[in-house]
Amino acid sequence: MPERKKTREVRRIIDKLKTGYGKTPEDASREELYQASAACIRDEIMELWVQANHKIEAEGRKILYYMSAEFLMGRAFVNNMVNLGILDKYRTAFDYFGLELSEIAAQEKDAGLGNGGLGRLAACFLDSLATLKLPAVGCGIRYEYGLFRQKIVDGEQVELEDNWLEDGCVWEIEHPDEAVEIHFGGEVEENWTAQGLQAVHKNYSTVLAVPYDMPVVGYASDMPVTLRLWSARAVKRFDMEYFNRGDYLHAMEEKELAEVISKVLYPEDNHEQGKQLRLKQFYFFTSATMQYMVRRHKELYGDLHTLPDYAVVQINDTHPTLAIPELMRILLDQEGFHWDEAYDIVSRMFHYTNHTIMNEALERWNEQMFKMLLPRIYSIVQALNEQYCRRLYQYYPGDMERISRMAIVAYGEIRMANLCVAVAEKVNGVSQLHGDILKKRLFADTYRIHPEKLLAITNGITHRRWLAVSNPGLTALLTETLGDGFLKDYTQFEKLMDHVDQEAFLEKFAAVKRQNKKRLAEYVYRTQGIVIHEDSLFDVQAKRLHEYKRQLMKCLHILCLYDEIKAHPDKNFQPVTIFFAAKASPGYIRAKNIIRLINAVADLVNNDVDTKDFLTVVFIENYGVSSAEFLIPAADISEQLSTAGLEASGTSNMKFMMNGAVTIGTMDGANVEISQRVGTENIFIFGADETEIERMKAYQTYLPGELYEKNQSVRRAVGHLIDGILPVASPHQFSDLYQSLLFGKFGTPDPYFVLYDLPDYIRIFEKALAKYTEKPLDWYQTAAINTAKSGYFSSDRTILEYNDQIWHLTPVE
Ligand code: 26Q
């Protein structure tokens, strides 16, 4: 037995266990050991955090308010240690206690305060901001419950609550002294005074917003960034008057009503449902953030006229848009500014990132509901709308159709994207293609008059979490090959190109992949009791379930493979394991039925004697940041199958690429740029591109029925949806999917061109499979080239572009 040293970290943890939990290491649970060691790490962070914040204030630095309704942070424990450079020290300390790092780390609950790409992007951005030492604060909502946990029961998705705060969160610090009031409802009275028309908001009800701050540590950086999340609290925690009268229920009621605001994250992704509580959530955190921003500026600099010199606000999609009229309100009603003066300030501070062009995802609010809930904000939005339409009239005189299309308020609705475009200084798309589509379609009217307003900044991912934390094997190989400079400097990934011709290097690269596949197999066995073949090709599609992402196409492909193997019972095939990981919005019936289909297809192929040795289908439950950290490093193939033009960027495509998976994908979102960087021989592109899709839509030339008749394998696969071979109780289980492909609900069959692209997908998959099977060395070379070219997709690059083109912050040295 090796001698176990009582290092500084060991002593600290023992001390923390004693003072914080009254325990010795012998009687502490794993949970307590996690809590105590996390508290030790937090102490180290506090030192840096306090100093950094003082410095930012003392030097009068401009800061970024990155506003987002979602921050999908995942776990912080290992990430913090990696970024602080103390991982090995703590690993040794856990050794002392006879525990594995991974066992302790697994105690932490994911902070799953986001749905998918948009929320995770916000989290990656904070890591890069901290690493690049750019002064920033992330502002959002401290949901008590994050995105639901997913269980699969009898093939169906079941949603369970995600009580991530159950055991407390060691990283957050509550600041009750900085709570602010948020006002809802009531009415607005306008009075003429010596200062002009003054609005007075009356009879409102009040909710308190209490901030919780979390430090986000950068890699080899002494400047943690703050994530400030607001929690709703009743003004009166408990109404003594009701209580004394014996009305106990009533005594609690107000508290419950107020605190429901930050209770739970809405699970809708790329779909908008105009719910009043959601509007409350958005106003709640935007108002709190604007009050905080104004208060801070006044305390530090006194005069609000200089606000745009010291603060810049990035709006992550339209969800935080109310920050714009809210800042107007504060300046007008509380600070006594005139309209033009206030507008001049506001118009120089806000920038808006768009994440979708899909109509059903564009945020709109019913005017009456909006007015009832936020009467003062409503009157400001009306005024902004009038001013904007008047301005538009100068550019487009008489063109009422265009002006009503661009208006902020029209047809009884308030359109948040139009409000953003009207007021924001810069509006950006999240990939080059998406940026082009914004100019060409969604914001074409604006582009004609203000071309400088629109830009494209391609998304990125932090290679600390998505490589250093989640793939220690590949990180070690890169460090051994290149040194560890790439962790701070993303341009150094490229140096790997000097090694991709060396067989010895490729062997090592392949060995790392095998290790990661083994690790995933163990994870799947541990969490779901499923045994998988580690030597098979791992093909992964992991993302939210949505029709446009076309998980259905992959299902049909599997049914084609099934038919193919069944037709050749004596032939040998390359074994393939196909992984799906996806949560469906609970109200999205068709998406949930696609999950049902995936599990039925899994049952079919995994249990058929002819196919089970060659084809395994696994549905990974509860996809989130932590399961992604197991899944992505193990992938050989990354599936990016969205209908061209519909995936604004995609970011899992970047994570897979960085971890040495080869992409099969359409020319959509950031796939286009991945393809440009790795070269067409190192990616498998298939299907219609965006122009072709647009042409088919415009001329209505796509007839899936004809294609179905002509193509035998497509016909057979689609037929399996209703021919009874799938092991489900009802023969009608999948008839809606069948119907949607061939007939469509309102006369638009197959709106996502699944059948159109399927034959080309089958072809390209065969090509990829052949390369993997027949030329393994070429395959791993391609995989390694993907890693080598992935530096561009680091969120460090993305953040530097935002900073150059929009924010203009200077790093704190
Ligand atoms: C808004 C209002 C009401 C209800 C729900 C919503 C809502 C919530 C979440 C709308 C959209 C979202 C999330 C969208 C999202 O994640 N979009 C993805 O953003 C990624 C980061 O830019 C892109 O890579 C993806 O292409 C895009 O789909």
Side-chain angles (χ1 to χ4, degrees):
M1 183 143 163
E3 200 198 323
R4 296 187 299 180
K5 280 226 303 257
K6 209 167 182 177
T7 58
R8 168 176 163 272
E9 285 70 30
V10 172
R11 276 181 277 119
R12 283 192 171 194
I13 294 170
I14 292 176
D15 208 44
K16 213 35 122 189
L17 275 172
K18 189 163 67 193
T19 55
Y21 302 87
K23 292 277 175 86
T24 63
E26 290 72 36
D27 28 71
S29 65
R30 270 187 205 177
E31 169 68 26
E32 285 162 333
L33 258 168
Y34 158 71
Q35 298 274 352
S37 30
C40 293
I41 295 160
R42 187 189 55 199
D43 290 349
E44 305 203 20
I45 297 170
M46 285 305 150
E47 297 278 330
L48 304 175
W49 204 16
V50 169
Q51 277 184 29
N53 290 335
H54 275 163
K55 197 158 177 189
I56 290 167
E57 289 183 7
E59 294 181 1
R61 295 311 194 94
K62 180 177 180 182
I63 82 169
L64 163 69
Y65 292 80
Y66 190 86
M67 297 189 68
S68 176
E70 306 190 1
F71 286 92
L72 224 183
M73 303 299 288
R75 291 179 178 141
F77 189 64
V78 176
N79 195 77
N80 282 344
M81 289 190 279
V82 165
N83 281 4
L84 291 166
I86 56 176
L87 184 67
D88 288 333
K89 287 185 184 155
Y90 275 86
R91 204 199 308 273
T92 315
F94 300 140
D95 235 24
Y96 179 90
F97 300 114
L99 283 162
E100 289 268 332
L101 169 72
S102 60
E103 295 174 284
I104 308 255
Q107 301 302 313
E108 183 179 7
K109 292 205 166 65
D110 270 41
L113 310 185
N115 273 286
L118 165 150
R120 184 54 228 178
L121 186 75
C124 285
F125 279 9
L126 296 182
D127 180 279
S128 288
L129 285 161
T131 300
L132 297 166
K133 303 191 188 184
L134 296 174
V137 47
C139 301
I141 302 172
R142 182 176 175 271
Y143 301 105
E144 210 176 307
Y145 295 87
L147 185 63
F148 65 87
R149 278 181 300 127
Q150 179 195 54
K151 276 254 143 218
I152 300 297
V153 178
D154 296 330
E156 281 179 36
Q157 167 174 297
V158 174
E159 300 91 17
L160 305 169
E161 89 291 340
D162 169 48
N163 191 0
W164 73 289
L165 289 167
E166 193 165 39
D167 312 314
C169 170
V170 286
W171 311 111
E172 63 176 12
I173 296 191
E174 184 187 354
H175 289 288
D177 53 312
E178 292 186 56
V180 296
E181 282 193 9
I182 316 294
H183 297 164
F184 293 103
E187 60 267 355
V188 180
E189 211 179 80
E190 299 197 321
N191 301 313
W192 280 101
T193 68
Q195 279 77 43
L197 194 62
Q198 281 288 318
V200 186
H201 188 186
K202 286 186 159 169
N203 300 325
Y204 49 76
S205 42
T206 302
V207 175
L208 281 185
V210 183
Y212 286 71
D213 289 354
M214 227 187 257
V216 178
V217 181
Y219 179 79
S221 153
D222 56 4
M223 201 210 74
V225 146
T226 301
L227 173 58
R228 167 160 281 205
L229 300 178
W230 299 92
S231 180
R233 188 164 299 169
V235 186
K236 277 192 238 159
R237 302 235 73 188
F238 192 79
D239 197 322
M240 221 41 208
E241 239 169 79
Y242 283 118
F243 184 78
N244 289 340
R245 273 187 266 138
D247 191 350
Y248 304 125
L249 222 57
H250 225 130
M252 301 294 290
E253 195 175 79
E254 199 183 330
K255 169 176 147 64
E256 291 301 318
L257 275 175
E259 295 179 4
V260 70
I261 292 178
S262 55
K263 191 64 79 184
V264 60
L265 167 74
Y266 274 87
E268 266 91 51
D269 165 274
N270 277 308
H271 186 81
E272 149 63 19
Q273 256 200 324
K275 289 260 170 48
Q276 177 167 324
L277 180 57
R278 197 162 164 97
L279 184 57
K280 268 192 176 175
Q281 292 186 328
F282 292 165
Y283 182 63
F284 169 77
F285 93 98
T286 51
S287 172
T289 303
M290 289 300 99
Q291 292 184 56
Y292 158 58
M293 179 178 85
V294 167
R295 183 192 281 178
R296 179 180 183 276
H297 185 83
K298 280 171 73 175
E299 278 169 16
L300 290 174
Y301 311 106
D303 180 11
L304 283 171
H305 288 92
T306 58
L307 187 58
D309 302 329
Y310 292 96
V312 55
V313 186
Q314 188 70 36
I315 298 189
N316 196 24
D317 214 298
T318 52
H319 317 153
T321 304
L322 292 172
I324 294 170
E326 174 66 3
L327 182 57
M328 286 297 289
R329 183 192 68 81
I330 296 171
L331 296 176
L332 294 169
D333 299 359
Q334 289 178 354
E335 303 294 337
F337 281 63
H338 291 291
W339 177 274
D340 291 342
E341 211 180 3
Y343 188 78
D344 174 65
I345 291 174
V346 169
S347 65
R348 288 184 287 139
M349 294 186 64
F350 288 90
H351 310 283
Y352 155 56
T353 305
N354 173 282
H355 296 264
T356 186
I357 56 149
M358 282 191 302
N359 211 8
E360 65 266 33
L362 291 180
E363 203 188 329
R364 303 180 177 120
W365 298 101
N366 175 281
E367 210 178 324
Q368 287 316 309
M369 191 248 276
F370 192 102
K371 188 177 175 181
M372 285 266 283
L373 190 69
L374 307 167
R376 179 57 182 138
I377 297 299
Y378 174 77
S379 68
I380 290 170
V381 170
Q382 282 292 4
L384 285 169
N385 183 50
E386 253 171 59
Q387 171 186 294
Y388 182 52
C389 289
R390 246 199 304 275
R391 205 171 79 211
L392 291 177
Y393 201 86
Q394 318 255 296
Y395 290 103
Y396 295 120
D399 192 348
M400 296 321 280
E401 193 184 317
R402 194 190 303 266
I403 293 171
S404 68
R405 196 162 66 211
M406 298 175 76
I408 299 166
V409 187
Y411 308 109
E413 284 186 328
I414 307 195
R415 304 142 160 190
M416 304 310 254
N418 286 5
L419 173 50
C420 284
V421 168
V423 182
E425 196 171 283
K426 299 284 179 197
V427 174
N428 77 285
V430 289
S431 69
Q432 297 308 308
L433 178 65
H434 174 57
D436 290 342
I437 293 174
L438 289 183
K439 290 178 187 172
K440 185 165 81 178
R441 292 214 293 276
L442 200 57
F443 302 139
D445 298 321
T446 300
Y447 185 60
R448 277 183 50 179
I449 51 185
H450 299 298
E452 72 294 339
K453 198 178 231 187
L454 292 181
L455 42 114
I457 301 181
T458 302
N459 280 168
I461 56 165
T462 166
H463 58 286
R464 270 76 59 176
R465 180 173 296 262
W466 297 111
L467 195 63
V469 172
S470 62
N471 196 343
L474 187 52
T475 307
L477 177 57
L478 295 187
T479 305
E480 167 195 323
T481 316
L482 312 171
D484 66 2
F486 68 97
L487 286 170
K488 190 113 194 152
D489 171 10
Y490 68 87
T491 63
Q492 293 188 29
F493 276 86
E494 194 81 30
K495 292 194 296 182
L496 205 61
M497 287 306 286
D498 298 341
H499 303 267
V500 299
D501 292 320
Q502 298 164 14
E503 220 175 299
F505 173 76
L506 296 178
E507 297 286 358
K508 287 186 197 166
F509 197 92
V512 168
K513 187 60 81 181
R514 272 194 299 279
Q515 241 352 87
N516 289 331
K517 286 162 83 165
K518 196 161 173 223
R519 188 180 67 156
L520 176 61
E522 282 159 9
Y523 173 83
V524 172
Y525 184 71
R526 189 169 71 242
T527 53
Q528 292 175 228
I530 299 174
V531 178
I532 51 185
H533 311 291
E534 290 164 30
D535 302 326
S536 59
L537 178 149
F538 280 18
D539 170 300
V540 186
Q541 188 176 18
K543 48 185 79 260
R544 281 301 286 256
L545 213 138
H546 206 294
E547 286 166 276
Y548 84 81
K549 295 178 189 279
R550 300 200 291 194
Q551 283 96 348
L552 178 55
M553 184 158 85
K554 186 67 197 172
C555 287
L556 293 173
H557 174 236
I558 298 169
L559 291 171
C560 288
L561 293 177
Y562 174 83
D563 287 333
E564 170 83 7
I565 300 172
K566 291 294 279 182
H568 303 92
D570 302 322
K571 208 168 139 188
N572 258 328
F573 293 87
Q574 162 67 43
V576 176
T577 304
I578 295 158
F579 297 86
F580 289 91
K583 286 180 180 174
S585 170
Y588 190 173
I589 306 295
R590 184 166 294 162
K592 289 180 99 171
N593 206 24
I594 293 172
I595 291 184
R596 185 70 198 86
L597 174 65
I598 294 169
N599 288 303
V601 170
D603 273 350
L604 174 72
V605 306
N606 298 353
N607 296 311
D608 187 302
V609 283
D610 292 332
T611 56
K612 70 188 179 64
D613 292 335
F614 305 119
L615 205 51
T616 309
V617 175
V618 181
F619 190 97
I620 303 280
E621 270 176 356
N622 199 33
Y623 184 56
V625 174
S626 286
S627 50
E629 289 173 20
F630 281 101
L631 193 51
I632 293 171
D636 294 306
I637 288 180
S638 154
E639 299 282 0
Q640 306 298 337
L641 312 182
S642 56
T643 314
L646 294 184
E647 189 71 273
S649 162
T651 41
S652 79
N653 45 6
M654 304 168 185
K655 297 166 197 163
F656 281 107
M657 170 200 198
M658 189 173 277
N659 284 277
V662 183
T663 304
I664 297 186
T666 50
M667 272 299 199
D668 197 16
N671 299 352
V672 176
E673 291 157 76
I674 293 178
S675 156
Q676 285 162 358
R677 297 205 135 68
V678 298
T680 47
E681 38 337 320
N682 295 304
I683 189 169
F684 295 95
I685 295 289
F686 75 98
D689 65 13
E690 188 258 335
T691 15
E692 196 179 343
I693 296 279
E694 279 316 302
R695 204 175 325 118
M696 285 190 277
K697 279 186 186 163
Y699 300 107
Q700 302 188 325
T701 50
Y702 172 45
L703 302 168
E706 273 179 16
L707 202 147
Y708 173 85
E709 291 302 330
K710 274 195 296 212
N711 188 315
Q712 194 202 319
S713 44
V714 169
R715 190 167 66 241
R716 220 183 303 131
V718 175
H720 288 331
L721 295 175
I722 54 162
D723 66 9
I725 74 157
L726 288 166
V728 281
S730 160
H732 307 298
Q733 180 72 44
F734 304 119
S735 35
D736 81 304
L737 299 177
Y738 181 86
Q739 290 284 325
S740 78
L741 290 173
L742 293 177
F743 308 104
K745 219 176 188 171
F746 302 107
T748 310
D750 193 11
Y752 299 101
F753 299 84
V754 172
L755 300 186
Y756 187 84
D757 280 346
L758 182 57
D760 202 35
Y761 178 75
I762 295 171
R763 173 191 69 82
I764 205 81
F765 187 86
E766 263 170 36
K767 193 170 159 196
L769 197 61
K771 180 160 175 172
Y772 180 85
T773 313
E774 290 154 27
K775 299 187 173 147
L777 219 52
D778 288 4
W779 177 270
Y780 287 109
Q781 182 178 60
T782 285
I785 289 173
N786 270 269
T787 301
K789 296 288 181 182
S790 70
Y792 180 81
F793 298 100
S794 164
S795 45
D796 292 356
R797 188 268 313 150
T798 312
I799 288 296
L800 289 171
E801 284 186 20
Y802 274 90
N803 198 42
D804 274 358
Q805 298 177 45
I806 306 178
W807 305 329
H808 312 299
L809 307 165
T810 37
V812 178
E813 281 313 337

